Amino acid sequence: QVQLLESGGGLVQPGGSLRLSCAASMSTFSIRIMAWHRQAPGKQREFVASIRPGGTSNYADSVKGRFTISRDNAKNTVYLQMNSLKPEDTAVYYCNTTPLTPWGQGTLVTVSS
């Protein structure tokens, strides 16, 4: 089974930055689309960003211009650089691939002053 381990979350003030990491234990990582999703309390899980094997990325409108997704195929790791953070970015962030694998515990990002 595929295992996804997110890390890098924490408490940050509005306008601050964080970099999230997701280590994926899958032999096919380099040919898979990887993505970040997030879920705030009481809300549905929502798409944040995705990246194709060749590096082409896609973002939700709410994070365009602020977040950058990247990947290191040699390390089987996908990253999410989060800049200009807003309180509404507060959520548990999860990584995954397509087709979806079981969700991990995610990493909590709290944006508050």
Side-chain angles (χ1 to χ4, degrees):
Q1 292 294 118
V2 172
Q3 293 189 46
L4 302 167
L5 181 60
E6 302 94 344
S7 62
L11 174 64
V12 64
Q13 295 185 5
S17 298
L18 284 174
R19 189 178 76 153
L20 307 183
S21 298
C22 173
S25 62
M26 60 176 74
S27 61
T28 57
F29 178 86
S30 64
I31 61 172
R32 301 306 302 264
I33 296 175
M34 299 299 297
W36 286 95
H37 301 76
R38 66 186 182 186
Q39 185 171 28
K43 299 181 65 178
Q44 295 185 34
R45 202 189 311 268
E46 65 176 351
F47 167 81
V48 175
S50 64
I51 185 167
R52 293 177 178 272
T56 301
S57 58
N58 187 42
Y59 299 91
D61 288 342
S62 60
V63 306
K64 285 181 179 177
R66 300 188 299 119
F67 292 8
T68 303
I69 188 171
S70 62
R71 66 194 297 161
D72 186 338
N73 289 337
K75 296 181 178 180
N76 275 204
T77 301
V78 61
Y79 304 94
L80 186 67
Q81 179 66 47
M82 310 165 67
N83 298 327
S84 301
L85 284 161
K86 304 175 180 180
E88 50 263 46
D89 295 319
T90 296
V92 177
Y93 285 71
Y94 304 86
C95 66
N96 217 310
T97 188
T98 55
L100 289 174
T101 63
W103 299 100
Q105 292 186 358
T107 184
L108 176 63
V109 173
T110 302
V111 184
S112 176
S113 60

